[in-house]
Amino acid sequence: MKNSVDILNWRYATKKFDNTKIISEEKITILKHAFNLTATSYGLQPIKLVIIKNKKIQQSLIPHSFNQNQVAQASHLFVLCIENKIDKNNVEAYFNKVKKVRGTSDEILQPFKNVMLNSFENQEEDKTTEWCKQQAYIALGNLMTVCAFEKIDSCPMEGFIPTGYDELLGLKEKGLSSVLVLPVGYRADDDMFADFKKVRKDLAESIIEIN
């Protein structure tokens, strides 16, 4: 592959994984870091990544995935989740981390901290939930791109039943809700979709340049 565009052209939503090929722990660690380094609004990271490498559990999730077999065929199944509650505790934890990592004084941090505290205190719960979901989508895009650079196949999924995942994985007890699913692994040799040309708008149709 010559450049980033070549790598993104290689990537596709894998419809069939080779269930005999397993992603190395080294590569999984790279993907963990990619998720954790994803940019999020305010830097709050209101998202968590559940990584499943258990074929029995993966198989049991197929009925909650509209019978998409990729969730069981894949080497690992990534479930992107949001925290069910964002409040002053999250904000306090973030600013404590900033002070620890950067040594920034309270005097400098307090004005921005007050803005964030006020924002979440006065925001309706459903809007906070939607905001969290938007952060999960940013992480999904980042993971898909890093997968492509690492020659790992993936298939982003919105089509699943979150309540089924939440119950089976015990996410409610962890204060989480599943919002996106990403099986990762290696494409099967007989996945015909791997050779399909991408169907995209011409650049002139999707890009507006203002000089």
Side-chain angles (χ1 to χ4, degrees):
M1 295 184 187
K2 297 178 181 179
N3 56 45
S4 300
V5 174
D6 292 330
I7 291 171
L8 293 175
N9 269 314
W10 173 84
R11 189 212 68 78
Y12 76 109
T14 306
K15 300 299 186 292
K16 186 177 181 181
F17 288 91
D18 184 338
N19 60 12
T20 67
K21 294 182 178 179
I22 304 299
I23 301 173
S24 70
E25 285 303 314
E26 179 184 8
K27 294 284 189 180
I28 291 296
T29 298
I30 290 172
L31 296 181
K32 289 178 182 178
H33 283 292
F35 176 82
N36 199 49
L37 288 168
T38 297
T40 58
S41 181
Y42 295 124
L44 275 185
Q45 295 180 273
I47 53 178
K48 291 190 184 295
L49 180 64
V50 176
I51 300 177
I52 303 166
K53 184 189 174 185
N54 181 306
K55 291 301 178 186
K56 184 177 180 180
I57 294 175
Q58 290 172 244
Q59 190 72 35
S60 68
L61 288 168
I62 290 179
H64 303 294
S65 310
F66 298 106
N67 295 317
Q68 297 177 89
N69 289 316
Q70 296 102 309
V71 300
Q73 295 168 346
S75 168
H76 294 66
L77 183 63
F78 287 2
V79 182
L80 285 79
C81 305
I82 61 171
E83 296 186 28
N84 290 332
K85 187 176 182 180
I86 302 296
D87 56 21
K88 65 179 182 180
N89 293 325
N90 301 82
V91 177
E92 292 282 358
Y94 171 70
F95 280 97
N96 288 337
K97 190 76 170 179
V98 172
K99 287 195 294 184
K100 180 179 178 180
V101 173
R102 297 177 178 169
T104 311
S105 69
D106 285 323
E107 183 181 4
I108 293 174
L109 293 175
Q110 198 62 47
F112 185 35
K113 181 178 178 180
N114 289 339
V115 169
M116 289 175 61
L117 288 169
N118 183 64
S119 175
F120 286 106
E121 183 179 348
N122 294 298
Q123 185 166 262
E124 295 176 3
E125 186 175 334
D126 60 339
K127 289 187 177 180
T128 299
T129 298
E130 185 59 31
W131 171 79
C132 290
K133 289 181 178 179
Q134 290 169 356
Q135 312 314 304
Y137 275 91
I138 296 172
L140 176 69
N142 196 38
L143 280 172
M144 290 166 58
T145 300
V146 174
C147 278
F149 271 82
E150 295 296 330
K151 295 300 295 288
I152 296 169
D153 289 297
S154 64
C155 182
M157 290 184 179
E158 294 178 293
F160 73 106
I161 303 169
T163 52
Y165 270 66
D166 294 354
E167 182 177 354
L168 198 149
L169 299 175
L171 297 180
K172 184 177 180 180
E173 291 81 359
K174 296 178 174 66
L176 303 172
S177 296
S178 56
V179 293
L180 293 164
V181 175
L182 184 70
V184 295
Y186 299 100
R187 64 190 67 177
D189 291 336
D190 60 347
D191 186 358
M192 63 180 183
F193 291 91
D195 297 322
F196 283 8
K197 291 184 177 180
K198 290 193 183 299
V199 180
R200 298 289 191 274
K201 293 180 178 180
D202 293 336
L203 287 182
E205 293 181 273
S206 61
I207 306 295
I208 297 174
E209 296 189 63
I210 300 175
N211 297 315

